[in-house]
Amino acid sequence: MERVAKYFGWLYPLLLALIILAVAYKFGFNSKVKYFDKVLDGSITFSSIVVGFLGALLGILISIRDSSIVKAIFETNEKKTLKLYFQETFIIGFAVVIFSCTMHVMRDESSVVTDWLFTAWILVAAWFIPSTYRIVSILMSVFFSSNISIDRPQGNKTEDPQTREQMRKNLTRYKE
């Protein structure tokens, strides 16, 4: 059962995209829809922002590499899964931008190529959203659980006068 859940976790963005593609064709959504150029502009903007955001999150993940939860992830086979999720989202995000730009140029043409490009555009755009959600939700769970500590920090109360004086000197703004 665990294996089925893992495969479903890998495949659900593509499965959801195929369902959205089928629904779009059932309702007659095509490249001749009014204001489709605005949809293309929005998809370019959205996917560009998300790819940049994921790049920044990847940098943060690398910077907290020494935290216990990130070490635990990198010591398991889940490192490969995380890498796969990142690569998938980056590649699909770039594909959305490329297909959207191509559709801008080709949307007024009536040809089989335009129809295939439109189908590919719907597929990658619909695939990109759940793929992005998956990687962002994983990263957010890593970030918000990476520094959780159940131990109470040790206080700075001390009875020893020498230690107390040393602490006061260390905290003084201007050294004597």
Side-chain angles (χ1 to χ4, degrees):
M1 188 65 172
E2 186 176 312
R3 189 177 228 181
V4 171
K6 187 172 186 175
Y7 287 127
F8 181 74
W10 284 346
L11 293 176
Y12 86 86
L14 178 59
L15 295 174
L16 191 59
L18 291 170
I19 291 169
I20 290 170
L21 180 63
V23 169
Y25 271 111
K26 174 141 176 72
F27 289 105
F29 185 66
N30 60 32
S31 61
K32 303 297 182 216
V33 174
K34 188 176 181 183
Y35 301 119
F36 181 63
D37 59 330
K38 303 291 184 191
V39 174
L40 292 173
D41 290 339
S43 66
I44 291 170
T45 303
F46 177 74
S47 58
S48 299
I49 290 170
V50 168
V51 167
F53 177 70
L54 287 175
L57 283 179
L58 187 57
I60 292 170
L61 184 64
I62 290 169
S63 72
I64 63 169
R65 185 180 350 181
D66 295 332
S67 69
S68 60
I69 193 150
V70 175
K71 282 182 182 178
I73 289 171
F74 285 146
E75 290 171 357
T76 66
N77 288 337
E78 296 306 314
K79 176 175 77 170
K80 293 177 184 175
T81 304
L82 190 63
K83 180 182 174 185
L84 175 78
Y85 289 167
F86 261 112
Q87 287 176 336
E88 175 189 345
T89 307
F90 278 122
I91 291 168
I92 298 296
F94 286 122
V96 169
V97 172
I98 291 167
F99 281 117
S100 297
C101 292
T102 307
M103 284 302 301
H104 258 302
V105 174
M106 302 287 293
R107 73 176 187 270
D108 291 331
E109 306 273 331
S110 291
S111 69
V112 175
V113 174
T114 305
D115 294 340
W116 280 103
L117 281 172
F118 179 74
T119 302
W121 176 80
I122 288 178
L123 186 66
V124 295
W127 189 350
F128 182 63
I129 294 170
S131 177
T132 300
Y133 174 77
R134 180 181 58 199
I135 191 67
V136 169
S137 65
I138 290 170
L139 290 176
M140 288 298 132
S141 66
V142 168
F143 293 149
F144 287 119
S145 63
S146 65
N147 290 325
I148 294 174
S149 175
I150 57 173
D151 298 331
R152 182 175 169 85
Q154 187 177 10
N156 60 1
K157 185 175 180 180
T158 181
E159 300 295 326
D160 182 30
Q162 288 178 337
T163 306
R164 204 180 184 89
E165 184 61 26
Q166 185 62 38
M167 287 173 67
R168 186 187 68 73
K169 285 181 180 179
N170 289 343
L171 294 173
T172 303
R173 186 177 284 184
Y174 301 104
K175 303 289 180 185
E176 298 172 3

